Amino acid sequence: MEVAFSMLQKALWLTSNHFDFTVTGTFGNPGPLGCLLAVSCLIPLYYIGKYLQDKKYNLVLLFLIIACFILFGIFQTGSRAALVSIFTGALFLFYPYLIKDGRSVLGSILVKILILLTIFVLVAAVYFLRKDSADGRFLIWYNTACMIKDYPFLGFGSGGWLANYMHYQADFFINNQDSTYAMLADNTFYPYNEFLYMMAEQGLVGMLLVLSIIYVLVNNKEVSPIDRVLKSLLVASLFFSFFSYPASIFSLCIVFTSIIGMLKSPIVKCIILSSFRVYVLASLFVVLVVGISSWSYSIYNKAYKRILVLANNEQTLDHCSDLNKLFPLFCYNPQLMYLYSQVCKGKCSLDQELSLLQAASKVAPTSDLYYKIGDIWRSKGDVYEAEKFYKLSISMIPHRITPKYRLFLLYIEQKDMDSAVKLGNIILRQPVKKEGTKILRMKIEVQEYLDRAYHNGFI
């Protein structure tokens, strides 16, 4: 169904869920779709091998068509991690057949060498396929590693990676001003590696706990071929986690936990309960989970709708009493806080707007939020604070023109000619990823100011 949906998007009969990508399936972007299809593709691959052994060629043909159909969907997504995950999962699935007892020692060694060479070529091809994107992830991984180094044992806690990452990226560019990674930087909301993410938030303690669970599941004795299939699905999911963020996608979390739930595991302790107690405990658990989930959803849904109403009419924030009451309940939700901070401009006083922007920046800091905070301090006449936040915004994403332009205007207002001229020349020489009309307008204004300064003898 996902592949069919993506094919309709590719044909432009359906719209995707992301303005930069044609194909997303029912997901927000192609990455999670690629993960789901990569894990799913291993199931028909297993049945192809099974029915080849049984010489049921009509069923082999059926599952071959299904596998090709899913692979076609993966190629439509352009997900490199999905392709590598399929190869890794398939290798784990069929490895016992590749290294079987009847093969000579030399033959087994040659097979292992061939597998290693294939992995090396595949990883290299994936890297050079979109080198800039891969290098951008290296930047994120490096800064995440710096976070882990600072808090190695217990980590930053839940939500700590998102709340702190952009500050580490800013520190990186402050200390490496001529870095080639400057053009690759952007506002970052995902670490693109679940293991680094877990280590940064939960530290060594959390990582060892999770790795011990994975080890027990993978190392447990296989009773039937289905156990091998489930382990290969787990391996493919884990390998995808090295390059993406499946734990942040609810439906992929369901897939992952379902695989773990179906895998056989050793029994540590057996507690015998009567049927009545089992039903009572199960009922209480279901009621608790459904109740908390429904309550949370109702809060976030109501807050989201109120924010949209605030954005689409001329009401001020003071008139939105429901939103003010809900604020303490959604103030740690990154998506809602970011949206709320965007629509509050002009709907409240400068102090209220500043408070909201600062609250949003504590949950999910971005370069945009910080230069907007700088704008408010500039409006309030606090030059020191405005300059501090502008410079922090610039450090987070060095190739962005807007925060530099805002700081340039601040220097002009303060009649700091030397700083304005120096920054103006940097803006004019600054390469940008996409030079739209907004950036051109800023550069023209800077050029006109520098021309006037030159004629007046300031340069």
Side-chain angles (χ1 to χ4, degrees):
M1 288 175 67
E2 287 287 352
V3 175
F5 202 82
S6 65
M7 289 171 68
L8 292 173
Q9 289 175 332
K10 189 70 174 178
L12 302 180
W13 291 355
L14 291 175
T15 55
S16 75
N17 297 319
H18 197 290
F19 58 86
D20 278 340
F21 302 103
T22 307
V23 173
T24 60
T26 58
F27 295 91
N29 65 67
L33 174 61
C35 178
L36 177 65
L37 296 181
V39 173
S40 303
C41 194
L42 294 172
I43 299 171
L45 288 181
Y46 160 73
Y47 282 109
I48 289 170
K50 179 179 184 298
Y51 289 124
L52 271 174
Q53 284 186 322
D54 298 341
K55 297 183 179 180
K56 296 180 179 179
Y57 298 115
N58 54 339
L59 291 175
V60 170
L61 179 62
L62 172 63
F63 283 101
L64 184 62
I65 292 170
I66 294 172
C68 290
F69 188 66
I70 297 174
L71 277 170
F72 176 73
I74 292 172
F75 280 110
Q76 284 192 126
T77 66
S79 173
R80 300 159 295 168
L83 293 173
V84 178
S85 298
I86 285 180
F87 178 79
T88 309
L91 182 62
F92 183 89
L93 178 62
F94 295 114
Y95 187 75
Y97 304 100
L98 295 173
I99 313 294
K100 50 188 177 182
D101 296 335
R103 195 182 297 276
S104 66
V105 175
L106 180 61
S108 297
I109 292 173
L110 288 174
V111 168
K112 291 176 182 177
I113 292 173
L114 183 62
I115 289 171
L116 290 173
L117 285 174
T118 306
I119 292 173
F120 176 78
V121 171
L122 183 62
V123 170
V126 164
Y127 172 75
F128 287 106
L129 184 64
R130 284 192 299 184
K131 185 176 180 298
D132 285 349
S133 175
D135 287 341
R137 295 189 185 188
F138 286 143
L139 171 66
I140 297 170
W141 295 344
Y142 174 82
N143 290 321
T144 303
C146 292
M147 295 175 69
I148 294 169
K149 184 185 71 173
D150 288 345
Y151 294 90
F153 295 107
L154 297 177
F156 282 85
S158 296
W161 183 89
L162 186 58
N164 292 279
Y165 172 79
M166 289 300 291
H167 293 286
Y168 277 81
Q169 183 166 294
D171 290 341
F172 174 83
F173 288 118
I174 289 171
N175 297 323
N176 301 272
Q177 296 188 6
D178 297 324
S179 173
T180 55
Y181 289 107
M183 287 299 293
L184 304 174
D186 206 341
N187 290 317
T188 305
F189 301 99
Y190 303 105
Y192 294 96
N193 187 309
E194 295 292 0
F195 294 95
L196 287 176
Y197 179 61
M198 190 182 306
M199 191 75 175
E201 289 205 337
Q202 309 303 332
L204 188 61
V205 174
M207 177 61 79
L208 289 176
L209 177 63
V210 172
L211 290 180
S212 64
I213 295 170
I214 293 170
Y215 174 78
V216 167
L217 291 172
V218 174
N219 200 49
N220 193 47
K221 186 178 179 181
E222 297 165 15
V223 179
S224 70
I226 297 299
D227 294 336
R228 188 73 187 179
V229 179
L230 289 169
K231 285 183 181 181
S232 71
L233 300 182
L234 178 63
V235 168
S237 301
L238 292 173
F239 203 85
F240 191 89
S241 299
F242 278 105
F243 307 101
S244 193
Y245 47 91
S248 300
I249 310 299
F250 179 73
S251 52
L252 295 184
C253 287
I254 296 295
V255 172
F256 185 72
T257 51
S258 298
I259 293 169
I260 291 176
M262 288 186 285
L263 274 166
K264 299 286 191 305
S265 60
I267 296 173
V268 178
K269 184 175 178 60
C270 184
I271 301 173
I272 298 175
L273 298 172
S274 65
S275 298
F276 176 74
R277 289 182 177 179
V278 170
Y279 288 129
V280 169
L281 289 174
S283 300
L284 287 174
F285 178 76
V286 170
V287 169
L288 185 65
V289 170
V290 171
I292 293 174
S293 300
S294 301
W295 178 73
S296 303
Y297 175 78
S298 65
I299 288 170
Y300 293 140
N301 188 49
K302 189 184 293 184
Y304 177 69
K305 288 181 177 178
R306 294 290 189 276
I307 292 171
L308 290 183
V309 169
L310 181 66
N312 294 326
N313 63 35
E314 296 183 359
Q315 274 188 323
T316 62
L317 198 59
D318 293 332
H319 290 90
C320 299
S321 57
D322 289 350
L323 200 54
N324 294 328
K325 290 177 183 177
L326 290 170
F327 181 77
L329 299 174
F330 73 81
C331 63
Y332 294 106
N333 182 288
Q335 291 81 11
L336 286 177
M337 282 302 296
Y338 187 78
L339 181 62
Y340 194 24
S341 66
Q342 298 301 302
V343 305
C344 69
K345 187 174 180 61
K347 306 284 185 178
C348 56
S349 66
L350 280 179
D351 288 334
Q352 285 178 305
E353 187 179 347
L354 178 61
S355 176
L356 285 174
L357 289 173
Q358 287 175 331
S361 69
K362 288 178 182 177
V363 179
T366 65
S367 175
D368 300 347
L369 283 175
Y370 278 116
Y371 80 67
K372 288 176 181 176
I373 292 173
D375 286 344
I376 295 177
W377 283 118
R378 180 177 149 212
S379 301
K380 291 167 70 70
D382 193 324
V383 178
Y384 173 77
E385 287 293 321
E387 184 180 23
K388 181 180 79 172
F389 281 99
Y390 284 145
K391 285 184 175 179
L392 182 55
S393 176
I394 292 166
S395 300
M396 286 179 169
I397 309 179
H399 67 81
R400 287 278 179 92
I401 295 293
T402 303
K404 290 177 182 173
Y405 172 74
R406 296 282 214 278
L407 182 57
F408 172 78
L409 294 179
L410 177 68
Y411 287 147
I412 292 175
E413 290 174 1
Q414 298 304 309
K415 296 184 171 32
D416 186 350
M417 308 303 296
D418 291 338
S419 298
V421 169
K422 182 179 177 181
L423 186 57
N425 285 314
I426 292 173
I427 291 171
L428 293 177
R429 293 193 303 267
Q430 175 72 58
V432 292
K433 285 184 177 180
K434 294 180 181 179
E435 196 164 52
T437 55
K438 180 181 176 182
I439 292 174
L440 287 173
R441 197 161 49 242
M442 291 178 192
K443 286 191 171 185
I444 289 170
E445 189 173 334
V446 170
Q447 183 65 66
E448 289 175 348
Y449 173 81
L450 293 181
D451 289 342
R452 287 196 302 271
Y454 177 78
H455 288 302
N456 293 329
F458 293 114
I459 301 180

